[in-house]
Coordinates of all heavy atoms in Angstrom, one line a residue:
A504 N -21.9 11.6 -7.9 CA -22.0 10.1 -7.7 C -20.9 9.7 -6.8 O -19.9 9.1 -7.1 CB -21.8 9.4 -9.1
I505 N -21.0 10.2 -5.5 CA -20.0 9.9 -4.5 C -20.0 8.5 -4.1 O -20.9 8.0 -3.5 CB -20.1 10.8 -3.3 CG1 -20.3 12.3 -3.7 CG2 -18.9 10.6 -2.4 CD1 -20.5 13.2 -2.5
L506 N -18.9 7.7 -4.5 CA -18.9 6.3 -4.3 C -20.2 5.7 -4.8 O -20.7 6.1 -5.8 CB -18.6 5.9 -2.8 CG -17.4 6.6 -2.1 CD1 -17.3 6.3 -0.6 CD2 -16.1 6.2 -2.8
G507 N -20.8 4.8 -4.0 CA -22.2 4.4 -4.3 C -23.2 5.1 -3.5 O -24.4 4.6 -3.4
V519 N -13.6 12.4 0.1 CA -13.2 11.4 -0.9 C -12.1 12.0 -1.7 O -11.1 11.3 -2.0 CB -14.4 11.0 -1.8 CG1 -13.9 9.9 -2.8 CG2 -15.5 10.4 -0.9
M520 N -12.2 13.2 -2.2 CA -11.2 13.7 -3.1 C -9.9 14.0 -2.4 O -8.8 13.7 -3.0 CB -11.7 15.1 -3.8 CG -13.1 14.9 -4.5 SD -13.1 13.5 -5.6 CE -14.7 12.8 -5.1
K523 N -8.3 10.7 -2.1 CA -7.7 10.3 -3.4 C -6.4 11.0 -3.6 O -5.4 10.4 -4.0 CB -8.7 10.6 -4.5 CG -8.4 9.9 -5.7 CD -9.6 9.5 -6.4 CE -9.0 8.6 -7.5 NZ -9.9 8.1 -8.4
L564 N -10.8 13.1 -13.1 CA -12.2 13.4 -12.8 C -12.7 12.3 -11.9 O -12.3 11.1 -12.0 CB -13.0 13.5 -14.0 CG -12.6 14.5 -15.1 CD1 -13.4 14.4 -16.3 CD2 -12.7 15.9 -14.5
E565 N -13.5 12.6 -10.9 CA -14.0 11.6 -9.9 C -15.4 11.8 -9.5 O -15.9 12.9 -9.3 CB -13.1 11.7 -8.7 CG -13.3 10.6 -7.7 CD -12.8 9.2 -8.2 OE1 -11.9 9.2 -9.1 OE2 -13.4 8.2 -7.8
D566 N -16.1 10.7 -9.4 CA -17.5 10.7 -8.8 C -18.4 11.7 -9.4 O -19.1 12.5 -8.7 CB -17.3 10.8 -7.2 CG -16.8 9.6 -6.6 OD1 -16.5 8.6 -7.3 OD2 -16.6 9.6 -5.4
I567 N -18.4 11.7 -10.7 CA -19.3 12.5 -11.5 C -20.3 11.6 -12.1 O -19.9 10.6 -12.8 CB -18.6 13.3 -12.6 CG1 -17.5 14.2 -11.9 CG2 -19.6 14.2 -13.4 CD1 -16.6 14.8 -12.9
H589 N -11.3 10.0 -16.3 CA -12.4 9.8 -15.3 C -12.2 8.5 -14.7 O -12.4 7.4 -15.3 CB -13.8 9.9 -16.0 CG -14.9 9.8 -15.0 ND1 -16.1 9.4 -15.3 CD2 -14.9 10.0 -13.6 CE1 -16.9 9.4 -14.2 NE2 -16.1 9.7 -13.2
D590 N -11.7 8.5 -13.5 CA -11.2 7.3 -12.9 C -12.3 6.2 -12.6 O -12.1 5.0 -12.7 CB -10.5 7.6 -11.5 CG -9.7 6.4 -11.0 OD1 -9.2 5.7 -11.8 OD2 -9.8 6.2 -9.8
D591 N -13.5 6.7 -12.3 CA -14.6 5.8 -12.0 C -14.9 5.0 -13.3 O -15.4 3.8 -13.3 CB -15.9 6.5 -11.6 CG -15.6 7.1 -10.2 OD1 -15.6 6.4 -9.2 OD2 -15.5 8.3 -10.2
Q592 N -14.7 5.6 -14.5 CA -14.8 4.9 -15.7 C -13.6 4.0 -15.9 O -13.7 2.8 -15.8 CB -14.9 5.8 -16.9 CG -16.1 6.7 -17.0 CD -16.1 7.5 -18.3 OE1 -16.0 7.0 -19.4 NE2 -16.2 8.8 -18.1
T595 N -11.6 1.9 -12.9 CA -12.4 0.7 -12.5 C -12.3 -0.3 -13.6 O -12.2 -1.5 -13.3 CB -13.9 1.1 -12.3 OG1 -13.9 2.3 -11.6 CG2 -14.7 0.0 -11.6
N716 N -19.5 0.4 -3.9 CA -18.9 0.9 -2.7 C -19.9 1.8 -1.9 O -20.7 2.5 -2.5 CB -17.6 1.8 -3.0 CG -16.4 0.9 -3.3 OD1 -16.3 -0.2 -2.8 ND2 -15.6 1.5 -4.3
N748 N -10.1 1.0 -7.6 CA -9.3 1.7 -8.6 C -8.0 2.3 -7.9 O -7.1 2.7 -8.7 CB -10.1 2.8 -9.3 CG -11.0 3.5 -8.4 OD1 -10.8 3.6 -7.2 ND2 -12.0 4.2 -9.0
Ligands
LIG1291 MG1 -15.1 7.1 -7.5

Side-chain angles (χ1 to χ4, degrees):
I505 308 177
L506 309 174
V519 178
M520 304 313 133
K523 197 144 189 184
L564 300 174
E565 188 68 28
D566 289 357
I567 303 169
H589 182 202
D590 191 40
D591 296 285
Q592 293 184 53
T595 317
N716 281 327
N748 44 20

